[in-house]
Amino acid sequence: MNNKKYIVVIVMWTILLQLSGCGNSENNMEERTKTDSAENILTLNEEQLRMLEPSYTSATYRDMPKTMRFNGKVDILPEYITSVSHPLGGHITAIRVVPGQVFRKGEVLAVLEDYKYVQLQEDFLMAKAQLKTAERNYRRQQELNVNRASSDRVFENAEEEYNKLRIAIRSLEQKLILADLDPTSIAENNISRSTTITAPFNGMVSHISVQKGQYVNPSDILFELVNAQGLIIHIKVFEKDLPSIQNGQELTVYTNSHPDQPLKANIMTINHYIQEDGSADVYAKFQDSPYRLALGMYLNAVVTTYKHKTIVIPETSVVSYEDKSYVFERLRQNVFRLVPLEVVSTYEGYVEPGKSELLADMDIVDRGSYDLLMAMKNKGDTE
């Protein structure tokens, strides 16, 4: 009989402890509910819960990449900066570009005018006319010399004159090309007193040194052009982070104007000289030509170094509202709490949260979190 009493007592204590545990759990839920403002708590009725059908998840451990963030700006390789002058000079009659303008190869930058262009075309046409006469004389003297009807000296003089004119024409052709005049289009009824300066590549005008009406000499710089293919990233890396940086490493680059359009680059060189501020210069080359960037523009660069195991949650469970991130915690079957979330990093569909230990025991809404957010905001609008 005594044994039966002991068994009954033990069973009763077990039940009481379980009820106490449930009570503590309920109390914890109540405490969480009380500590949050009413606007962060959402209670659904049975019909709403059935319509939304949220699914649930919990925080898990996963390998996430370790990232480092750096500030930098757009720089350029020296060989991709071109100073433009004109080999003959002249008066500038038109300037077709402005500083900062993007241009395509062959586009007209400026128009120059000078009598030298007329003289050059005249010399070219005169030499071509003389060449025809010299060629006929050379052929005739060659035939006569074969038949011994003329002396070798006469034939040699004709040959020399013919070759001199051929050389002169080749030289004049190159001068015309340098002056941006097409030798094949020059004729006696098509002599121009002006020429153009055209873009030698696709790029951008960084500086204009002249103005309309100005006379320029062959040594004067008219434009400074930048080839976008030579744009690079110049970032400052502090000494403590330098061991994690290596050549060929990929960067993800963001601009302040287009943070939603990341660019890819690879580290091309590391200057291991540590400057007075404790940083070293690191340069990276863009994978594609970044035509929307400008020289000197400030950038943010993210480098992925290695992976570490940490607490993560599915990216689908995170909602954004007014530039802040949140998750929904299920407190009870139909009661949900909106919890602020700091996003440390995102990788392959998972989010690494800040203060991840706070999420360890949460029952987190996965699918349907945005529906809950809309329901919560609609509730606030109707109250």
Side-chain angles (χ1 to χ4, degrees):
M1 181 67 69
N2 290 335
N3 290 337
K4 290 182 179 180
K5 288 182 179 180
Y6 289 142
I7 293 172
V8 171
V9 170
I10 292 172
V11 170
M12 291 180 66
W13 272 108
T14 302
I15 294 172
L16 287 172
L17 287 173
Q18 290 177 346
L19 291 174
S20 175
C22 293
N24 289 336
S25 177
E26 291 293 328
N27 289 336
N28 289 337
M29 293 296 182
E30 292 294 334
E31 286 298 321
R32 290 189 190 181
T33 305
K34 290 178 181 179
T35 55
D36 280 279
S37 60
E39 63 182 13
N40 289 338
I41 300 298
L42 176 65
T43 302
L44 301 179
N45 57 39
E46 291 184 5
E47 183 179 354
Q48 290 172 324
L49 193 62
R50 185 173 62 256
M51 289 179 61
L52 296 180
E53 292 184 337
S55 62
Y56 306 98
T57 186
S58 59
T60 58
Y61 279 91
R62 182 182 173 88
D63 286 334
M64 292 290 283
K66 180 68 176 178
T67 58
M68 295 185 296
R69 299 179 181 273
F70 303 101
N71 296 323
K73 65 178 182 178
V74 179
D75 207 336
I76 191 167
L77 295 171
E79 63 179 301
Y80 288 89
I81 301 177
T82 300
S83 296
V84 177
S85 58
H86 195 275
L88 298 182
H91 290 89
I92 297 177
T93 59
I95 298 175
R96 302 284 176 81
V97 291
V98 295
Q101 180 174 332
V102 175
F103 56 79
R104 308 296 295 178
K105 182 178 180 180
E107 187 175 335
V108 175
L109 305 178
V111 180
L112 280 77
E113 186 177 289
D114 198 84
Y115 76 92
K116 291 193 292 289
Y117 310 142
V118 177
Q119 185 65 52
L120 184 59
Q121 294 168 86
E122 179 186 344
D123 293 344
F124 176 69
L125 292 175
M126 293 292 290
K128 286 182 68 175
Q130 292 170 6
L131 180 64
K132 290 181 180 179
T133 302
E135 184 178 8
R136 287 195 297 268
N137 184 48
Y138 166 70
R139 301 299 180 195
R140 184 171 59 254
Q141 293 299 329
Q142 185 180 40
E143 184 178 348
L144 292 173
N145 185 260
V146 169
N147 297 324
R148 295 298 179 183
S150 68
S151 65
D152 291 342
R153 184 174 183 81
V154 173
F155 169 68
E156 290 171 356
N157 288 338
E159 183 180 30
E160 180 182 1
E161 182 66 19
Y162 174 60
N163 288 333
K164 283 182 178 179
L165 287 170
R166 289 177 62 192
I167 293 171
I169 288 175
R170 294 290 179 269
S171 176
L172 289 168
E173 283 179 347
Q174 294 304 311
K175 290 179 181 179
L176 289 168
I177 292 172
L178 281 174
D180 209 10
L181 294 168
D182 183 9
T184 61
S185 65
I186 296 174
E188 59 183 83
N189 59 349
N190 186 30
I191 296 177
S192 175
R193 64 183 184 183
S194 63
T195 186
T196 58
I197 297 177
T198 56
F201 49 77
N202 298 335
M204 182 190 71
V205 180
S206 62
H207 184 68
I208 298 177
S209 306
V210 293
Q211 58 188 8
K212 184 178 177 180
Q214 181 179 343
Y215 182 85
V216 294
N217 294 304
S219 59
D220 293 335
I221 303 300
L222 283 66
F223 304 97
E224 185 179 87
L225 308 180
V226 172
N227 188 339
Q229 292 184 350
L231 292 179
I232 58 175
I233 308 166
H234 176 200
I235 61 176
K236 292 282 190 179
V237 177
F238 286 96
E239 185 177 359
K240 65 180 180 63
D241 297 323
L242 203 56
S244 301
I245 301 298
Q246 57 186 348
N247 285 333
Q249 204 165 25
E250 187 176 75
L251 305 179
T252 303
V253 182
Y254 302 89
T255 63
N256 295 328
S257 56
H258 296 91
D260 58 333
Q261 300 177 18
L263 300 169
K264 295 294 184 180
N266 296 93
I267 293 175
M268 56 183 292
T269 183
I270 302 170
N271 187 348
H272 289 277
Y273 172 75
I274 306 299
Q275 301 175 19
E276 291 183 0
D277 62 353
S279 68
D281 293 321
V282 175
Y283 298 90
K285 177 76 172 174
F286 289 101
Q287 293 180 2
D288 299 310
S289 296
Y291 286 106
R292 69 172 182 262
L293 299 184
L295 191 61
M297 179 183 289
Y298 286 94
L299 303 169
N300 299 309
V302 178
V303 183
T304 300
T305 55
Y306 60 89
K307 292 183 179 181
H308 64 293
K309 192 171 289 293
T310 185
I311 290 178
V312 297
I313 57 175
E315 191 174 2
T316 52
S317 64
V318 180
V319 295
S320 297
Y321 181 71
E322 294 182 346
D323 296 327
K324 294 181 180 179
S325 298
Y326 302 89
V327 293
F328 275 98
E329 177 191 11
R330 181 171 65 168
L331 300 177
R332 289 191 292 274
Q333 183 65 25
N334 64 331
V335 180
F336 303 90
R337 181 172 71 109
L338 185 65
V339 181
L341 181 75
E342 176 193 357
V343 176
V344 176
S345 64
T346 302
Y347 181 69
E348 293 184 349
Y350 288 88
V351 171
E352 178 184 357
K355 298 181 179 179
S356 56
E357 66 278 0
L358 299 179
L359 303 178
D361 299 325
M362 283 189 184
D363 195 9
I364 299 171
V365 176
D366 186 7
R367 182 174 55 84
S369 53
Y370 267 103
D371 294 331
L372 294 180
L373 180 65
M374 293 301 101
M376 175 173 284
K377 297 309 171 184
N378 290 336
K379 179 196 72 170
D381 293 339
T382 56
E383 289 179 353

